[in-house]
Amino acid sequence: MKAMVYDKYGTRDVLTLKEVEIPTPQDNEVLVKVHAVSVNSWDWDLLRGKPFLARMGGMLKPKYKILGADIAGRVEAIGRNVKHLQQEDEVFGDISWCGWGGFAEYVCIHEDALSLKPASMTFEQAAAIPQAAVLALQGLRNKGQLQEGQTVLINGAGGGVGTFALQIAKLHGAEVTCVDSTVKLDMLKALGADHVIDYTQEDFSQQGLFYDLILDVVGTRSIFDYKRSLNPKGKYVMVGGSLSLIFQLLFLGPLISKTERKNMAILVHKPNKNDQDILKNLFVSGKLVPVIDRQYSLSQVEEAIRYLGEGHAKGKVVISVE
């Protein structure tokens, strides 16, 4: 099979399209013929080995030779202990917890990572959902405890997580303000944003406006900027961002939460099949739509990862393997 492989950290010239052996499923695994796989910020981080936390498990060279975590495809073979899937099932899921390997024509996956793909959903749409949409849902629901009528600010709303978070927040009856660059604002308005802020022109933390919940996808500011923009008893949830902000939240977040009753939290990525199924049902009912900016071929993975990593994507970037 063809797979996009890398064995050292970097950007250009470290990814190579190679012929490798088709893997054989273990007892609880299925072999999936990959039709589509989406690109996530983790792919960008793991490719470069930056920030340094991205090297956990592989300090000098990558632990996983084939990146790609969000896949959609068709089951080709099953292990002997597989109970819930069968050959020809169309499936999708986040495979980051069971070995990665999505940038390839085939991949072996533990059956617990996979949800059945509805017929009304394309493979590209299915691949766009698992990681980004689950992060958005868990950030708003689990950490943010979103309630109807609350005011929500999404910082970095124009990417994969942000576009899903905007739609989910509106479904919960929130008033949503979206922060991103100029070129993404019209898209965010079309998705239902009540207010948009162009971060190249305005600083939301200096406007004197306050929010019940801030969902932060990019995390480039100081913890004090976010604290200042929260209502009393407001919640801040970091989904992605800088290492310096992570340390601020770890050491100063508990103190702020205790003394000012403003909750400052970091969302830890937890792949969840049940949440995938919730999001799938929202898609089927017409309440949630993956926003796909660009589609690339398997041979263009490096270009696709770089496009996403440099912050250009409006929504998701997807690799069409076939």
Side-chain angles (χ1 to χ4, degrees):
M1 70 171 186
K2 291 184 174 66
M4 190 60 75
V5 180
Y6 81 127
D7 56 15
K8 62 181 180 180
Y9 296 114
T11 51
R12 297 180 184 274
D13 302 324
V14 299
L15 286 166
T16 306
L17 190 63
K18 292 184 177 180
E19 288 284 344
V20 300
E21 291 294 325
I22 296 175
T24 301
Q26 300 297 314
D27 290 348
N28 293 313
E29 293 181 333
V30 297
L31 176 68
V32 174
K33 180 175 176 58
V34 181
H35 288 256
V37 52
S38 73
V39 181
N40 292 294
S41 60
W42 275 23
D43 296 305
W44 174 245
D45 294 341
L46 289 171
L47 178 65
R48 297 177 304 142
K50 300 178 182 179
F52 195 71
L53 286 176
R55 297 186 181 226
M56 296 301 290
M59 289 295 182
L60 300 179
K61 59 182 181 178
K63 179 179 180 180
Y64 303 107
K65 303 301 183 183
I66 304 173
L67 296 173
D70 288 359
I71 68 99
R74 184 176 285 107
V75 175
E76 293 283 309
I78 62 174
R80 62 181 181 180
N81 293 335
V82 171
K83 299 177 181 178
H84 305 297
L85 296 173
Q86 56 189 0
Q87 286 181 300
E88 300 300 318
D89 279 346
E90 294 183 347
V91 295
F92 70 101
D94 178 354
I95 64 173
S96 62
W97 64 272
C98 53
W100 296 71
F103 295 143
E105 293 181 317
Y106 294 89
V107 63
C108 285
I109 308 166
H110 196 291
E111 68 165 331
D112 290 347
L114 297 170
S115 298
L116 290 171
K117 181 186 79 67
S120 60
M121 183 185 286
T122 68
F123 286 109
E124 288 74 19
Q125 289 172 324
I129 287 176
Q131 193 172 121
V134 168
L135 282 169
L137 178 63
Q138 292 178 353
L140 293 170
R141 181 196 63 195
N142 298 11
K143 289 290 187 179
Q145 299 179 331
L146 179 62
Q147 302 294 319
E148 182 177 358
Q150 286 188 322
T151 54
V152 176
L153 182 135
I154 304 172
N155 189 32
V161 175
T163 50
F164 282 117
L166 167 56
Q167 295 178 74
I168 294 168
K170 291 303 297 179
L171 287 174
H172 282 76
E175 179 182 340
V176 183
T177 298
C178 291
V179 182
D180 216 303
S181 61
T182 311
V183 296
K184 300 183 184 183
L185 300 187
D186 287 341
M187 172 196 67
L188 293 168
K189 291 176 185 176
L191 283 174
D194 297 290
H195 315 282
V196 293
I197 297 174
D198 183 347
Y199 75 79
T200 69
Q201 303 295 322
E202 301 176 83
D203 182 345
F204 75 83
S205 69
Q206 300 295 331
Q207 292 183 331
L209 299 175
F210 306 98
Y211 304 92
D212 299 310
L213 171 60
I214 296 176
L215 187 75
D216 191 12
V217 184
V218 292
T220 55
R221 296 180 170 276
S222 161
I223 190 174
F224 301 107
D225 291 335
Y226 297 114
K227 177 181 73 70
R228 182 169 57 245
S229 299
L230 285 175
N231 280 323
K233 299 183 181 180
K235 293 180 171 62
Y236 167 84
V237 180
M238 177 185 177
V239 177
S242 67
L243 193 58
S244 62
L245 180 57
I246 292 175
F247 284 124
Q248 289 179 38
L249 286 164
L250 289 174
F251 291 104
L252 298 177
L255 180 62
I256 292 172
S257 299
K258 182 176 181 179
T259 59
E260 301 196 32
R261 302 184 70 185
K262 294 180 179 182
N263 188 264
M264 315 295 288
I266 302 173
L267 178 67
V268 178
H269 175 57
K270 294 180 180 179
N272 187 301
K273 182 180 178 297
N274 291 332
D275 286 343
Q276 284 178 184
D277 290 335
I278 290 171
L279 295 158
K280 175 180 73 174
N281 293 333
L282 288 175
F283 173 90
V284 171
S285 65
K287 296 177 180 179
L288 188 74
V289 179
V291 177
I292 298 176
D293 181 0
R294 293 187 181 183
Q295 294 179 207
Y296 293 83
S297 68
L298 185 59
S299 64
Q300 297 173 309
V301 164
E302 186 276 333
E303 182 182 346
I305 293 176
R306 180 161 42 85
Y307 177 72
L308 178 82
E310 293 174 352
H312 303 308
K314 300 176 183 177
K316 293 290 295 181
V317 173
V318 175
I319 306 297
S320 295
V321 177
E322 289 196 321

